[in-house]
């Protein structure tokens, strides 16, 4: 009798950016870290939970450095590698930078996973780096009880075009570049409910590089950028609000969503990270009563390799949408607005 092939998602307790430690727990963990002494050339550090660290090299160049890794969100090893690499490089794009090099982070259960399977994961990651025009120039590997893969990603940008998550302005319009629903589709896949079309939708969005980031960052009307990943749209929008000292309102009915995710969301299917993300937001998020439960779940769904979230001046909206469309992000949509007030998010129907 032939044994069923080993499923990557069976080897880990979580998958993709849903593995992230919940924001409230992370804040508690970091609360007693000693304050770092100031460095004149550290343009972006840990102060506002931004997407990457940024160090000024000279008047023309700033180095962007980030790392991201997680456990499998899909069973196909090549797709897992592609998704993880796309997700890691996204943080460079979200700062307005262009990647220049990557290092691989590899933790694998050597006695459980065939070497050929591990090789396919690495090939998938390398294929995305090749698409980004950068080398995988090294890395580090360990024997781990659960499969882990990701990248250290390095990039460059002009210091004047770095886009922080704290620089949104009162009246800015919020535009999301990719559709939501990745975590929900991942949960449906684990339950054996996701068909080939739904899987294709998930892979198409999670392996699309956010290359449009530097183009957006160069627009004078774009004030802040971040990407939406494990904390969900609400969690990452709250980081913008807290950084800028502003409130935000989003329209649940305007949110772009992968079509395949909607019926599963209506059935209550989704990752445990949804509940953790909502709990971490606490009173900082208020839902209008007309917002359906499944829509609430979508706003907190843990995205893996999610879209760029742009805060821009109202007269730059069409320019921003045109940049997204030119980059192949056909689902990009206006989802809300920043406004004066406490650092809270209101979700309207």
């Amino acid at each position: 009798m032939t044994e069923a092939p080993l499923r990557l998602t069976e080897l880990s307790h979580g998958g993709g950016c849903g593995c992230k430690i919940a924001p409230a727990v992370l804040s508690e963990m970091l609360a007693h870290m000693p304050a770092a002494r100031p460095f004149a050339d550290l343009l972006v550090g840990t102060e506002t939970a931004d997407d990457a660290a940024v160090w000024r090299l000279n008047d023309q160049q700033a180095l962007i450095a980030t790392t991201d890794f997680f456990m499998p969100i899909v069973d196909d090893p090549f797709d897992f590698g592609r998704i993880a690499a796309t997700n890691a490089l996204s943080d460079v794009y979200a700062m307005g930078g262009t990647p220049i090099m990557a290092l691989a982070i590899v933790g694998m259960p050597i006695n459980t996973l065939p070497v050929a399977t591990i090789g396919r994961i690495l090939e998938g990651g390398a294929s995305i780096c090749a698409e980004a025009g950068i080398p995988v120039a090294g890395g580090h590997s360990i024997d781990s009880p659960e499969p882990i893969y990701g990248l250290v990603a390095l990039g460059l940008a002009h210091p004047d075009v770095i886009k922080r998550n704290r620089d949104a302005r009162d009246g800015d319009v919020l535009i999301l570049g990719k559709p939501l629903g990745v975590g929900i589709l991942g949960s449906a896949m684990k339950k054996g409910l996701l068909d080939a079309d739904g899987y294709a939708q998930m892979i198409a969005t999670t392996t699309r590089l956010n290359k449009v980031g530097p183009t957006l960052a160069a627009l004078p009307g774009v004030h802040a950028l971040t990407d939406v990943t494990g904390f969900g749209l609400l969690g990452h929008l709250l980081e913008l609000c807290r950084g800028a000292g502003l409130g935000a309102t989003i329209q649940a009915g305007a949110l772009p969503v992968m079509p395949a995710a909607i019926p599963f969301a209506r059935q209550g299917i989704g990752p445990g990270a949804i509940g953790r993300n909502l709990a971490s937001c606490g009173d900082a998020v208020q839902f209008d009563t007309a917002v359906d439960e499944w829509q609430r779940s979508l706003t907190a769904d843990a995205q893996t390799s999610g879209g760029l979230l742009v805060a821009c001046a109202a007269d730059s909206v069409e320019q921003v949408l045109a940049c997204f469309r030119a980059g192949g992000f056909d689902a990009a949509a206006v989802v809300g607005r920043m406004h004066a007030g406490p650092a809270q998010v209101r979700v309207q129907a």
Side-chain angles (χ1 to χ4, degrees):
M1 182 176 179
T2 304
E3 291 186 10
L6 195 63
R7 297 181 60 191
L8 286 178
T9 54
E10 292 177 346
L11 298 176
S12 58
H13 71 281
C17 287
C19 299
K20 276 189 173 183
I21 295 172
V25 177
L26 184 60
S27 295
E28 186 177 349
M29 288 168 54
L30 298 176
H32 302 293
M33 272 189 65
R37 67 182 179 87
F39 291 87
D41 289 315
L42 183 62
L43 302 182
V44 181
T46 61
E47 55 280 348
T48 60
D50 219 323
D51 297 295
V54 181
W55 184 271
R56 180 171 45 216
L57 298 174
N58 52 55
D59 290 343
Q60 302 298 315
Q61 293 178 309
L63 177 68
I64 302 167
T66 183
T67 183
D68 214 312
F69 52 91
F70 46 62
M71 292 164 279
I73 187 175
V74 295
D75 292 314
D76 183 282
F78 189 76
D79 284 345
F80 170 39
R82 294 168 68 208
I83 294 168
T86 307
N87 180 76
L89 294 177
S90 181
D91 285 339
V92 174
Y93 294 126
M95 301 304 300
T98 300
I100 58 170
M101 183 174 69
L103 306 173
I105 300 169
V106 183
M108 294 291 160
I110 299 300
N111 293 329
T112 305
L113 272 183
V115 171
T117 299
I118 299 172
R120 286 293 285 168
I121 295 171
L122 303 185
E123 287 175 33
S127 74
I128 289 296
C129 289
E131 184 181 337
I134 64 170
V136 180
H140 186 65
S141 61
I142 62 169
D143 188 352
S144 167
E146 295 182 286
I148 297 169
Y149 177 69
L151 300 176
V152 173
L154 301 176
L156 290 174
H158 193 288
D160 293 345
V161 301
I162 294 293
K163 294 301 175 185
R164 300 165 177 82
N165 66 0
R166 70 185 186 196
D167 292 334
R169 302 179 188 179
D170 182 11
D172 274 356
V173 175
L174 295 167
I175 299 175
L176 181 60
K178 286 185 182 183
L180 301 174
V182 175
I184 289 167
L185 290 181
S187 294
M189 187 201 71
K190 288 183 179 180
K191 295 177 180 292
L193 302 175
L194 190 63
D195 62 16
D197 179 62
Y199 184 79
Q201 289 180 37
M202 181 171 68
I203 296 302
T205 189
T206 54
T207 60
R208 180 176 292 279
L209 287 163
N210 281 320
K211 287 184 177 182
V212 70
T215 304
L216 293 170
L219 298 177
V222 170
H223 301 138
L225 271 176
T226 191
D227 63 346
V228 177
T229 54
F231 298 155
L233 175 61
L234 290 180
H236 294 287
L237 178 53
L238 272 175
E239 291 175 343
L240 260 69
C241 291
R242 289 164 179 158
L246 296 170
T249 298
I250 59 174
Q251 307 295 325
L255 297 177
V257 185
M258 283 179 282
I262 295 175
F264 296 122
R266 289 181 180 276
Q267 296 171 52
I269 293 171
I274 290 176
R276 295 194 298 272
N277 286 340
L278 286 172
S280 293
C281 291
D283 295 336
V285 173
Q286 290 139 11
F287 292 95
D288 285 5
T289 55
V291 179
D292 291 334
E293 193 65 33
W294 69 272
Q295 292 176 309
R296 300 185 186 205
S297 295
L298 274 168
T299 63
D301 184 32
Q303 302 305 288
T304 299
S305 189
L308 295 179
L309 180 63
V310 182
C312 68
D315 59 5
S316 295
V317 168
E318 292 307 317
Q319 198 174 12
V320 169
L321 288 173
C323 286
F324 273 123
R325 301 282 188 266
F329 297 90
D330 296 334
V334 172
V335 298
R337 186 178 292 269
M338 304 294 294
H339 52 75
Q344 297 177 345
V345 177
R346 181 179 178 185
V347 184
Q348 299 178 331

